[in-house]
Amino acid sequence: MRPTMTGLLVCALALTGASAVAHADPAPLPLVSLTTIPDGWSQRTDLRPVLQIFADGKAVHMPDAVSKDRKPETAPKKVTGKVAADVISAAREEINALKETDFGIPAGEGRGTQIIDLMPDDPAGEAHLVIYSPEATDGLDPEQKAARKRFTELYKKLVDAFKS
């Protein structure tokens, strides 16, 4: 009788534990994510976003995510804070306005990348803006240069809007 009771207890605990794990809420995904990949970092596996903004305005800023002084095995410092709702709303509009824009690829070697990702709950509303060699303009036409300027201003505005 004792082995049967022990077996039933083990099964009950195993099933309860599995049930608790299966029902855990997943971590929320950021609504907007800003990432910079500096020149020469394409082989690093420790890349992290500079800023993640969630739909409720909460945000995580990693100011040293792209620091040359941070070793690959050291996680970037995380600072939690907020971004104002009006800034998020304006950013969503600007991201959507830029999502079909040709930012061009400048002449010469790749010199880093900057990315703005918009990831709302509805995947149909996702937008991913990518600028290759953000500091370069060789070979770009005036429209591409203007589009890159808008991208850079948006990126900076979001980082500057973060308040801890």
Side-chain angles (χ1 to χ4, degrees):
M1 176 84 168
R2 210 175 208 162
T4 304
M5 291 303 286
T6 304
L8 288 172
L9 180 60
V10 169
C11 285
L13 289 174
L15 290 175
T16 304
S19 172
V21 171
H23 294 306
D25 289 332
L29 296 175
L31 174 65
V32 178
S33 189
L34 307 180
T35 306
T36 295
I37 304 170
D39 182 22
W41 277 40
S42 61
Q43 300 304 313
R44 285 185 70 160
T45 59
D46 65 320
L47 297 172
R48 300 290 183 271
V50 171
L51 181 64
Q52 293 178 308
I53 305 168
F54 297 86
D56 63 359
K58 291 179 184 170
V60 177
H61 181 43
M62 293 178 235
D64 63 344
V66 294
S67 171
K68 293 176 187 172
D69 297 329
R70 186 178 61 80
K71 294 184 167 102
E73 64 274 5
T74 304
K77 179 174 41 173
K78 292 183 179 183
V79 180
T80 57
K82 291 195 70 89
V83 173
D86 62 323
V87 174
I88 296 170
S89 179
R92 288 183 76 163
E93 288 179 24
E94 182 69 351
I95 292 167
N96 283 319
L98 290 170
K99 71 181 177 184
E100 300 297 325
T101 303
D102 175 14
F103 296 107
I105 300 175
E109 296 292 317
R111 292 171 253 169
T113 305
Q114 281 191 313
I115 305 165
I116 300 175
D117 292 307
L118 173 64
M119 299 168 292
D121 289 334
D122 180 4
E126 286 188 8
H128 307 280
L129 310 179
V130 181
I131 299 282
Y132 298 102
S133 300
E135 303 297 322
T137 58
D138 297 342
L140 300 178
D141 63 39
E143 291 82 20
Q144 291 167 330
K145 290 177 184 178
R148 284 168 161 260
K149 184 175 189 264
R150 283 176 65 187
F151 176 100
T152 301
E153 288 170 352
L154 175 60
Y155 197 103
K156 182 177 181 341
K157 180 179 181 178
L158 288 168
V159 171
D160 291 347
F162 173 81
K163 304 294 181 219
S164 60

